[in-house]
């Protein structure tokens, strides 16, 4: 069978990559942490607005080089979020049909975004049906089920080759603490933390990896006790925390985990808007809360250094949810006590 189409598809993705520039590493300094520098790797500036742009690119290249994606192969994914948006973008670039499988209660705004990039949405009644339904759909359409939760960790080249870890460590080159004490990241597929953790080990850095996990996610209990029972409620922080232990979550490269209360994620997200002058998504709040906890330990121990965490997406996608106080009080609950803790930590007590 001719490889002409696949060759062209790979070149099309490479050309898209060549037109893109690297994402910024934003430096933050606070009076309360004079000897600690914070960095945010800003993944919101990708063409499709989140770190899932990297994942989608990797998954397409992996599928093409494996011969799984061919001319006219329909692409199926279980995602109602950023992954579906980014994969729809690449499907359109390659002229392939794209179908995202999602629960029927998915917000209209998200469906619109996927359709904006030419994707179709396919609905199931309950969220735990998305995996089996994606599989079934792929078989009946002779399509390819991308399966981000399985392939995220292996589709990305952990040795470097412009992966996110390689990029951020190189950007630290001229900083006063170029080798960070900690990298802090949350887990959705777990793919990003797997790439960062492996890269740290591969480069023999002393940096440690903290994975932060929201309420109602199974990753944190699984890491500590091997308990992989499904959680029943599901994470309320979009993009992170899962009801089942995903195959792409690699606990052996994680040095420590921290559970972050949802209220803490939200107040940190709001505080970051004041610090940065623009809105970030809720998982960035979770990440930054974890970074601040680590900074506090370093400060207490008189240990200077740097901490990197990720700005995963912008807040514009969440104006009617996490940025709506009424929605927050209905869905997340009281956040006041975390606001007090945060202000105390960053020295903004009134
Ligand atoms: C996917 C996602 C994450 C987590 O990244 P993984 O590599 O899937 O673990 C964090 N924040 C947002 C907004 C995401 O979409």
């Amino acid at each position: 069978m001719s490889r002409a189409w696949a060759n062209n598809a790979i070149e099309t993705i490479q050309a898209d990559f060549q037109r893109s520039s690297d994402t910024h590493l934003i430096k933050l300094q606070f009076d309360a942490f004079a000897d600690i520098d914070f960095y945010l790797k800003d993944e919101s500036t990708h063409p499709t607005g989140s770190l899932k742009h990297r994942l989608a690119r990797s998954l397409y290249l992996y599928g093409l080089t494996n011969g799984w994606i061919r001319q006219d192969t329909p692409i199926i994914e279980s995602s109602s979020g950023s992954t579906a948006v980014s994969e729809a973008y690449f499907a359109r670039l390659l002229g392939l049909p794209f179908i995202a499988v999602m629960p029927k209660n998915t917000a209209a705004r998200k469906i619109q975004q996927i359709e904006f990039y030419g994707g179709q949405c396919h609905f199931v009644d309950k969220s735990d049906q998305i995996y089996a339904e994606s599989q079934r759909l792929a078989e009946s359409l002779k399509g390819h089920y991308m399966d981000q939760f399985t392939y995220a960790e292996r589709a990305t080249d952990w040795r470097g080759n412009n992966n996110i870890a390689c990029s951020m460590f190189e950007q630290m080159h001229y900083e006063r603490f170029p080798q960070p004490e900690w990298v802090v990241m949350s887990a959705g597929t777990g793919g990003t933390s797997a790439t960062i953790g492996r890269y740290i080990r591969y480069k023999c850095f002393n940096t440690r990896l903290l994975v932060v996990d929201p309420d109602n996610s199974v990753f944190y209990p699984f890491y500590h006790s091997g308990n992989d029972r499904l959680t029943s409620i599901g994470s309320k922080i979009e993009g992170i925390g899962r009801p089942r232990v995903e195959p792409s979550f690699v606990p052996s490269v994680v040095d420590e985990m921290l559970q972050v209360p949802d209220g803490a994620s939200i107040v940190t997200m709001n505080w970051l808007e004041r610090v940065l002058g623009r809105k970030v998504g809720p998982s960035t709040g979770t990440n930054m809360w974890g970074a601040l906890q680590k900074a506090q330990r370093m400060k207490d121990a008189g240990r200077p250094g740097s901490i990197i965490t990720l700005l995963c997406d912008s807040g514009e996608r969440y104006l009617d949810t996490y940025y709506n106080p009424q929605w927050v009080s209905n869905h997340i609950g009281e956040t006041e006590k975390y606001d007090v803790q945060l202000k105390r930590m960053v020295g903004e007590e009134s």
Side-chain angles (χ1 to χ4, degrees):
M1 190 174 173
S2 162
R3 290 212 295 263
W5 184 85
N7 291 348
N8 190 266
I10 288 169
E11 279 168 9
T12 302
I13 294 175
Q14 302 293 33
D16 183 73
F17 181 58
Q18 194 64 33
R19 291 191 299 271
S20 304
S21 55
D22 201 357
T23 60
H24 300 297
L25 191 63
I26 299 169
K27 182 177 183 180
L28 300 175
Q29 285 178 298
F30 306 103
D31 291 342
F33 297 103
D35 298 318
I36 300 169
D37 296 337
F38 296 82
Y39 298 85
L40 274 176
K41 180 70 169 157
D42 183 2
E43 294 292 294
S44 71
T45 62
H46 289 290
T48 53
S50 80
L51 78 173
K52 290 303 190 303
H53 199 78
R54 291 181 193 271
L55 174 63
R57 185 195 298 130
S58 297
L59 287 170
Y60 275 96
L61 288 173
Y62 195 65
L64 286 161
T65 51
N66 279 316
W68 297 337
I69 299 174
R70 297 162 187 231
Q71 188 164 10
D72 302 325
T73 303
I75 306 298
I76 324 291
E77 182 62 288
S78 43
S79 163
S80 56
S82 308
T83 302
V85 172
S86 299
E87 287 181 4
Y89 168 92
F90 282 101
R92 191 166 68 178
L93 204 62
L94 303 183
L96 298 173
F98 177 79
I99 304 168
V101 178
M102 63 187 71
K104 66 175 182 210
N105 60 2
T106 300
R109 184 186 282 261
K110 294 205 291 193
I111 296 166
Q112 282 160 14
Q113 270 184 326
I114 294 161
E115 289 174 345
F116 174 80
Y117 286 108
Q120 280 170 261
C121 298
H122 177 89
F123 301 99
V124 296
D125 289 332
K126 293 214 213 85
S127 57
D128 60 358
Q129 297 169 329
I130 56 172
Y131 309 104
E133 180 61 10
S134 300
Q135 191 78 53
R136 191 199 64 76
L137 204 58
E139 277 161 27
S140 76
L141 298 174
K142 297 198 170 27
H144 173 57
Y145 173 25
M146 284 289 224
D147 195 358
Q148 56 165 338
F149 294 111
T150 298
Y151 292 106
E153 62 87 8
R154 69 193 80 160
T156 299
D157 185 350
W158 49 270
R159 296 172 194 83
N161 187 16
N162 290 304
N163 73 32
I164 189 168
C166 172
S167 161
M168 67 197 193
F169 279 100
E170 279 176 9
Q171 288 174 316
M172 289 295 287
H173 190 78
Y174 292 108
E175 300 306 302
R176 65 170 171 160
F177 307 113
Q179 231 185 76
E181 288 284 305
W182 291 96
V183 175
V184 180
M185 179 54 186
S186 42
T189 62
T192 307
S193 47
T195 300
I196 294 171
R198 286 167 177 157
Y199 189 81
I200 288 169
R201 282 151 201 260
Y202 179 59
K203 289 286 179 179
C204 307
F205 293 150
N206 292 319
T207 304
R208 280 165 295 165
L209 173 64
L210 171 71
V211 170
V212 283
D213 205 32
D215 291 329
N216 303 306
S217 170
V218 79
F219 292 134
Y220 179 85
F222 175 69
Y223 185 78
H224 285 286
S225 61
N227 169 4
D228 61 355
R229 260 177 307 166
L230 300 181
T231 56
S232 50
I233 311 177
S235 162
K236 293 183 185 165
I237 305 297
E238 250 188 72
I240 62 171
R242 297 293 306 163
R244 63 165 207 190
V245 180
E246 302 297 349
S248 271
F249 176 65
V250 183
S252 52
V253 303
V254 176
D255 294 292
E256 219 179 286
M257 285 197 70
L258 177 73
Q259 199 163 35
V260 176
D262 293 344
S265 298
I266 303 306
V267 300
T268 312
M269 175 193 85
N270 284 311
W271 170 77
L272 267 176
E273 181 187 4
R274 296 198 297 279
V275 170
L276 294 168
R278 61 193 171 93
K279 292 182 169 67
V280 299
S283 69
T284 305
T286 314
N287 291 348
M288 191 67 198
W289 176 271
L292 287 166
Q293 298 296 323
K294 278 297 161 204
Q296 188 64 49
R297 298 290 114 69
M298 287 167 63
K299 181 179 166 182
D300 293 345
R303 202 180 161 89
S306 59
I307 303 177
I308 305 181
T309 191
L310 272 74
L311 196 173
C312 299
D313 64 355
S314 99
E316 311 308 321
R317 289 181 175 176
Y318 310 105
L319 297 181
D320 31 2
T321 52
Y322 302 95
Y323 281 95
N324 175 346
Q326 192 56 52
W327 186 94
V328 170
S329 99
N330 292 348
H331 290 84
I332 307 287
E334 197 47 65
T335 59
E336 179 61 27
K337 79 173 179 195
Y338 302 110
D339 204 41
V340 173
Q341 276 183 46
L342 176 68
K343 299 249 166 73
R344 192 178 302 139
M345 230 174 350
V346 299
E348 285 181 12
E349 280 155 295
S350 47

